[in-house]
Amino acid sequence: MADLTRATADTPPGRATIVDVARAAQVSRQTVSNALNRPDKVAAPTLERVLREIDRLGFTPHITAQQLRRRKAAAYGFEVNPSGHGRLGHILDEFLVQLTVAAPAHGSHLMTFAPDPEDVIEGYRQTLATGLVDGFVLADTRHGDPRPQWLLDHHVPFVAFGRVWDLPELRQWVDVDGGAGVREAVAHLVAAGYDRIGFLGWPAGSPVGDDRRHGWLAGLADAGRTASGQLEAEESVQDLDQATAAAERLLRRLGPGSAVVCASDMLALGAVRAVRNTGLALGADIGVVGFDDTDVADALSVTSIRQPIAEAARTAWQMLTSPESPRPVLLAPALTVRSSTTRTPTSSATRPRDTPITEEQP
Amino acid sequence: MADLTRATADTPPGRATIVDVARAAQVSRQTVSNALNRPDKVAAPTLERVLREIDRLGFTPHITAQQLRRRKAAAYGFEVNPSGHGRLGHILDEFLVQLTVAAPAHGSHLMTFAPDPEDVIEGYRQTLATGLVDGFVLADTRHGDPRPQWLLDHHVPFVAFGRVWDLPELRQWVDVDGGAGVREAVAHLVAAGYDRIGFLGWPAGSPVGDDRRHGWLAGLADAGRTASGQLEAEESVQDLDQATAAAERLLRRLGPGSAVVCASDMLALGAVRAVRNTGLALGADIGVVGFDDTDVADALSVTSIRQPIAEAARTAWQMLTSPESPRPVLLAPALTVRSSTTRTPTSSATRPRDTPITEEQP
DNA sequence: GATGCGCGTTTGAACGTTCCAACAAATGGG
DNA sequence: CCCATTTGTTGGAACGTTCAAACGCGCATC
């Protein structure tokens, strides 16, 4: 169907193949192949001649034929799970994009596939059996997830984004150290001059949520403070109103001049609403930090903890394609600082920075 | 690397091929191939025997070999553009997921690729020249987009999600009728008993934004109202504060008992803040409708216009894989109704529905 | 001057499948 | 009852590439 080359006297119509190049450069198939794959094995003048013809004919190797002969797809599968409201969500969305961006650097491609709703494994088995992919990038590893063990059992290369909690001996995963991110956020808040620092999280029990909570405690310890006297709200993000109410209770106890670190940007939205409901100023009176640096944080001008997704993607490829046995990697997130954690308000860009602001202090 | 079958007496180690099946069923290669591709050409008893062996050996055709021989990849490319904050965004995120879900129904696969930052076309040229894909699914078609014309020139199959504004004669696109969605939202608000209905949009000039604005005007006309006396705020979503301020002006003019339709959920967030700032009750006093049904709308309990992305994805596949010349398709979005457009407040689940609420009316 | 070696190049075969033409057996019409 | 047609099955070839082995050649070695 697609025609990429113009047909002339010495270029047959359709896409140019390796034999077309060979004929034009007056060498054999194999020499053209060598020119591309092991240039050191080809004499300099020959190499130059072949490369010139490759360029002239616009030859690009047919990956499908390579895949067949090399018995290697140079492609990896990525399961997109339509369960989460039919979307990947902010983090996996970005992860997929960054995986795709980083793929060429490893001579690979990414192929998406949807899971079989009946059987978690079936989609993996099929995708692999067709020879379309060499392995998989796992995301969203859950407790009791059967996939890592199955992949191990069948010697299928894979890497996980997210700790594989069930298999502590497994080494092929990248994750983001959420706890370290929260810890850093606490340090930032202390340095910014907030007196008391609370935490708005999810109900205990989820590994991710608990990790972030521990980061908060560690941050307090770093600053020589303890959690006693502090208050921790535990509500589900599902209901924004609950989060808002929890944040209001938190603010009543901590008072102006304090700050709240939240386990998600959606919780941070609740905190911001609570700040407004309480009649306080965001940033000047109360600091708020979110998690994941979503559109919401950006729109609300809320400081947020940003996961280094691009680096996670690059690390994942490294583990997948480098031959030696990998080491688990924990990446540190970074803080995107916005006006929600600035005690001298700069939210209005029209107001000059050096204008002294009288703010009510406790 | 991967070993999917156990090696026994009559099954050689490694993946089973078509010849293994042929040997086991005592037929030729070709008959096995026919059994899978043109079962009607195979005698019933033979067919049964072959299928039994296929099942027993766990044979799955090697797609790579099929691709080579059939000269067809049965895969399509999808460009993920890392420019938008490194993410696809809510809509394209869902579109990608739904494309992947619908792919098997068309015997196809989806392959992601990142654009060459230097040259918009280069990524397409390369991906196609390698034979990895037969064509492309375009998204995010912009004004002055060189891709559709290039693809047409080179006879490359493709379909666009989003109208191709530059090429009115082009027929291969699916889009969502945003205007119709807004129009329906206006009808919903009228039926719900809101007196005056405003619109909070983006500055005029973007096709998408203007389309939604026209939907608002059409909805007013349907209800026998005109935009005179109504007020339309035009601000950029970039700055939530501007949106909030614009919404406050809007509410001052429209007064309680009115409603605001927004061109995005982020604008709706501004509207919701304006409602709170004005001391009014969301839903009971002021109706708010967003667009795209994102997490934010869900969290804020805001009625939102939901794009039928899954259907768009199915339509895209249809256009791509069905032989006959396609017709452009405009899909109608649907309203996800939440408490932000309910005049008898049900936002707090604990408060019984039948409790009469005294609300101040103008 | 025969021997061995390394370099650059070529040739045959293979990856796993389907297209194509040929074939044998069964079926039908005159 | 023979020939033409249909039905079912088969083997050779091809898709475009790389692997593995072989080859010819110049050069140093003895």
Side-chain angles (χ1 to χ4, degrees), chain A residues 28-31 42-43 46 69 71:
Chain A
S28 70
R29 294 189 315 279
Q30 187 61 33
T31 300
V42 179
T46 317
R69 178 63 251 221
R71 328 198 77 206

Side-chain angles (χ1 to χ4, degrees), chain A residues 234-316:
Chain A
E234 304 199 355
E235 303 290 346
S236 164
V237 70
Q238 291 303 76
D239 193 330
L240 182 61
D241 291 334
Q242 279 183 12
T244 309
E248 282 179 14
R249 285 196 299 275
L250 207 51
L251 293 185
R252 264 196 294 278
R253 309 216 190 182
L254 299 176
S258 62
V260 180
V261 183
C262 306
S264 79
D265 277 354
M266 212 51 93
L267 290 175
L269 172 54
V272 169
R273 303 178 95 197
V275 171
R276 298 177 79 97
N277 289 350
T278 325
L280 296 170
L282 182 64
D285 298 331
I286 299 287
V288 171
V289 175
F291 206 110
D292 276 354
D293 200 12
T294 63
D295 301 340
V296 177
D298 187 33
L300 293 172
S301 200
V302 165
T303 296
S304 194
I305 297 164
R306 178 172 178 76
Q307 301 197 34
I309 299 296
E311 200 180 340
R314 283 192 296 268
T315 309

Side-chain angles (χ1 to χ4, degrees), chain A residues 56-101:
Chain A
R56 189 175 69 83
L57 297 175
F59 167 71
T60 307
H62 203 269
I63 295 199
T64 300
Q66 291 184 328
Q67 291 177 334
L68 182 59
R69 178 63 251 221
R70 288 179 171 159
R71 328 198 77 206
K72 189 156 185 350
Y76 291 83
F78 186 82
E79 175 187 325
V80 297
N81 203 315
S83 56
H85 301 97
R87 281 184 251 116
L88 294 172
H90 279 85
I91 294 301
L92 289 189
D93 177 351
E94 186 174 354
F95 186 58
L96 171 65
V97 169
Q98 298 298 345
L99 272 181
T100 304
V101 168

Side-chain angles (χ1 to χ4, degrees), chain B residues 46-63:
Chain B
T46 316
L47 181 60
E48 196 205 353
R49 186 155 34 99
V50 171
L51 292 180
R52 190 170 50 236
E53 290 303 324
I54 286 176
D55 195 50
R56 190 175 67 84
L57 297 175
F59 166 72
T60 308
H62 202 270
I63 294 199

Side-chain angles (χ1 to χ4, degrees), chain A residues 124-136 156, chain B residues 2 4 15:
Chain A
Y124 286 85
R125 205 195 58 72
Q126 279 240 350
T127 309
L128 189 65
T130 58
L132 270 177
V133 302
D134 296 322
F136 298 94
V156 181
Chain B
L4 291 180
R15 102 176 349 109

